[in-house]
Every structure is written in structure tokens, then in C-alpha cells.
Amino acid sequence: VLVVWVGNFDATPNPAFVGIKTAAPLFFRIADALPLALPEERVPADRPPSGLTRVEVCAASGELPNRWCPQTRKTWYIPGVSPIRVSDLHRPVMVDRLTGKAACPPFDPATSELQVFEFWPSDLQRLFADAGLPRRTPPDAQRDCQVQAAIDTREAPRITSPLTQVTYSLRLSQPQESITLAAHAAADARLLYWFADHTLVGQGT
């Protein structure tokens, strides 16, 4: 174990010595010199604990790749313990070349083509956008055209606000107060409708 600490001779810290500027450079110099100073010393190879196995997963989702996943990688897996399922992040969509929207069946090979899109949940899409890494969103369906089966609508929205089993109180003296309505939805969801006791209270993206 190699540890580098820089301070006073009496073992007290000195605020003039910043670790990244004093201790870190010295640490890396020593680490780089060790193989030359101890040429016969062999570092034992890391061995994974028993019970681990290597599986191939989709690089983007970390789940078992489906046929549309473009890139895979190896990762460690604990059989019977690690959660694992087939990824549905990458899905095919027939796209109209003229409009760029999801094509309507029957598909004409002359005007439509098959493209694969990443269907990220809405909360992750916002995280990517906030980090300056926006993702290519699946295309909308054309008007007067039912969304094709390739666009998966099985993911039900998950309400994140208001919280369940929480009582909210609004003060009459504060008419500007409101309860935020927020939900995580599938990547192909474009509009969410909000109901309270079968009464429509709002809609939004």
C-alpha cells in the first residue's frame, strides 16, 4: 500500500500544501518508479470472487442485448442475484423519408425506411439534456395514422408528484400555491392527461 502525505515535520497539517499540487505528483512519481526499483516484484493478478460469471450486455442499457442493440460489452454477473432482463432500449421504427415521422402501414419501401431509436424514459431524457448530451428522440406518428406496433406503449407513466400516502395542504391566504403534477413516461409519450376522481384536471408534456 502506497500512501503519500505532505505536512509539517511535527505531523501537523499545513494549509499551504494542497494535496493535488504536492502529495499527488509525488505519489505518481513513486508509483511510476516502483517497477524500475523492484523489477523482480510481481503484482498478483486480480481474480474475481467465486460465483461470478461474464455475460454480454448492451453497452447503452447494461441489460441483455436485443437484436437491435448496436454495441455490446462484457460485464460481471452473479447468477440468481444480479437483476437481468433483455433490453428494450433499442427499437425499430419505420420512418417516412419525406416527413421524418413514423410511417403509416402498409409501408412503401420506396418512401419509408427502417431506423433504430433509443427509447429512454422521460426522466433520463431530461438528465441527458441537462448534461448537454441530448438523445435522438423517436419520431412522432403522422396525423390520421395509428402509431405502429414497433413503437412500444407498454410503459405506463409513473407519477412522481404528488407523492403517494402524503397529505398536501393549500392555504387560502396563498392563492398562488399549487401542487406540482409530474410523472416519468415512456420515450414515445407526447402528452399526459391528469385525472382526479375521473375528472380531468390538466394535461402536459
Side-chain angles (χ1 to χ4, degrees), residues 67-84:
R67 60 178 296 192
W68 306 107
C69 178
Q71 186 177 6
T72 61
R73 63 179 178 85
K74 293 284 188 178
T75 189
W76 293 107
Y77 171 71
I78 306 176
V81 177
S82 300
I84 195 164

Side-chain angles (χ1 to χ4, degrees), residues 34-98:
L34 282 176
L36 298 177
L38 304 171
E40 303 299 327
E41 190 74 18
R42 293 186 178 181
V43 179
D46 291 334
R47 294 183 178 180
S50 60
L52 286 180
T53 184
R54 298 274 282 181
V55 296
E56 190 174 30
V57 298
C58 184
S61 66
E63 299 171 329
L64 294 177
N66 63 4
R67 60 178 296 192
W68 306 107
C69 178
Q71 186 177 6
T72 61
R73 63 179 178 85
K74 293 284 188 178
T75 189
W76 293 107
Y77 171 71
I78 306 176
V81 177
S82 300
I84 195 164
R85 68 185 183 98
V86 176
S87 174
D88 60 357
L89 175 64
H90 298 89
R91 306 174 198 169
V93 178
M94 289 297 294
V95 178
D96 189 300
R97 291 193 180 99
L98 298 178

Side-chain angles (χ1 to χ4, degrees), residues 93-173:
V93 178
M94 289 297 294
V95 178
D96 189 300
R97 291 193 180 99
L98 298 178
T99 64
K101 295 185 177 182
C104 298
F107 306 119
D108 184 357
T111 59
S112 61
E113 62 181 358
L114 185 68
Q115 297 184 20
V116 177
F117 291 85
E118 295 180 351
F119 282 70
W120 292 100
S122 58
D123 55 332
L124 292 181
Q125 288 186 26
R126 285 191 292 270
L127 286 177
F128 285 132
D130 292 342
L133 301 170
R135 289 299 190 264
R136 183 186 180 206
T137 57
D140 293 327
Q142 301 186 53
R143 299 186 65 179
D144 302 325
C145 172
Q146 291 186 348
V147 179
Q148 63 198 79
I151 296 182
D152 194 347
T153 57
R154 295 173 298 173
E155 301 176 41
R158 179 167 55 88
I159 296 176
T160 58
S161 178
L163 299 174
T164 58
Q165 299 181 348
V166 174
T167 301
Y168 291 81
S169 299
L170 299 180
R171 294 169 293 181
L172 293 177
S173 60

